[in-house]
Amino acid sequence: MNYRHAFHAGNFADLQKHAIVLALLKVLTDGAAPLSVIDTHAGAGAYDLGGDMAQRSGEAAAGVGQLLAMDEVPAVFAPLVAAVKALNGGGAGSLYPGSPLLIARALRKTDRYTACELRPDDFDSLRRTLAPYALAQAVKDDGYATAVARAGRGGRTFVLIDPPFERSDDYAQIVATTRAVLARDKDAVIAAWMPLKDLETFDAFMRAMETVTNDALAAELRLRPLTDPMKMNGCAMVVVGAPKSAEGAIAEVTTWLADTLGDAGAKARIWRA
């Protein structure tokens, strides 16, 4: 899968991923212990949906465009909607926050955020986006290795893994990184995003994850049948160590998106490995 996030910013997959990340952060920051967040593939940090790449795909119109056009949205999406409006001066606009901006705005002064990005132009944008946040650091390093190196250094660890899936070994890298992070911090929370194209690829990944942990919550968002592996027919968030109090939000986000944005027969599937 050839994936440059500026083409896909604000699409249905972003709505699931970002609403779930914000729900997890709400739970993980509800306490005195500091939180260390490592974002393995941070991207540019924020995106202009009026730009050439976003306009060429048109995916945002069918995602965040529909969400913002609704008179009422479920409360579970309220933090994401508020963040989008805040980035646009409180009203309508073409800017959309990526995970880095959403995470930096949601953390406390005692928390720390490491955002990894290797692509030079995206890294420059990421560094500018995070500059106002003293708790955030943009690093031009391999995200998988950085997550392992920084896990368990104090406070609770939360790792977001959102690769572009341009490498053939990304699925294996997610499994290996999960194993290594848990070896350093057994209480770490790890959230991995991935496309759903064909069922066998996802099932093989989940079988591999079962060799690492028995505490993985899979939230599958299937917008259309998984019959054409050349298309992104949906997406999934797999959360290791998901707090029980966040499970309802994860299910609500995924189910609402399937019911609201999916084709006939679309469905959400929430299950534990």
Side-chain angles (χ1 to χ4, degrees), residues 62-87:
V64 68
Q66 287 201 39
L67 185 69
L68 294 176
M70 295 176 179
D71 292 332
E72 293 186 18
V73 298
V76 73
F77 286 98
L80 178 58
V81 170
V84 174
K85 290 182 176 179
L87 185 58

Side-chain angles (χ1 to χ4, degrees), residues 141-214:
D141 289 329
D142 178 85
Y144 295 121
T146 301
V148 175
R150 300 200 177 197
R153 284 192 175 182
R156 193 168 190 183
T157 303
F158 175 39
V159 179
L160 174 61
I161 306 178
D162 178 23
F165 291 93
E166 294 174 339
R167 292 168 41 167
S168 61
D169 67 342
D170 272 320
Y171 290 99
Q173 287 276 19
I174 294 172
V175 174
T177 300
T178 298
R179 187 190 305 274
V181 167
L182 291 177
R184 287 177 172 264
D185 182 356
K186 64 181 178 60
D187 296 319
V189 176
I190 304 164
W193 177 91
M194 59 203 59
L196 287 181
K197 301 175 76 178
D198 64 283
L199 188 57
E200 175 51 34
T201 299
F202 183 67
D203 282 352
F205 168 78
M206 291 304 297
R207 288 194 296 270
M209 286 291 283
E210 287 173 358
T211 69
V212 176
T213 178
N214 60 359

Side-chain angles (χ1 to χ4, degrees), residues 31-52:
L35 182 68
S36 174
V37 182
I38 303 105
D39 191 347
T40 63
H41 299 77
Y47 301 91
D48 182 2
L49 301 183
D52 177 63

Side-chain angles (χ1 to χ4, degrees), residues 225-239:
L226 307 184
T227 55
D228 185 353
M230 300 305 292
K231 292 182 179 180
M232 190 168 79
N233 299 303
C235 61
M237 286 288 281
V238 177
V239 185

Side-chain angles (χ1 to χ4, degrees), residues 221-225 257-268:
L221 171 58
R222 304 185 186 186
L223 293 191
R224 60 186 70 90
L257 289 171
D259 292 345
T260 307
L261 302 183
D263 295 345
K267 67 177 181 178

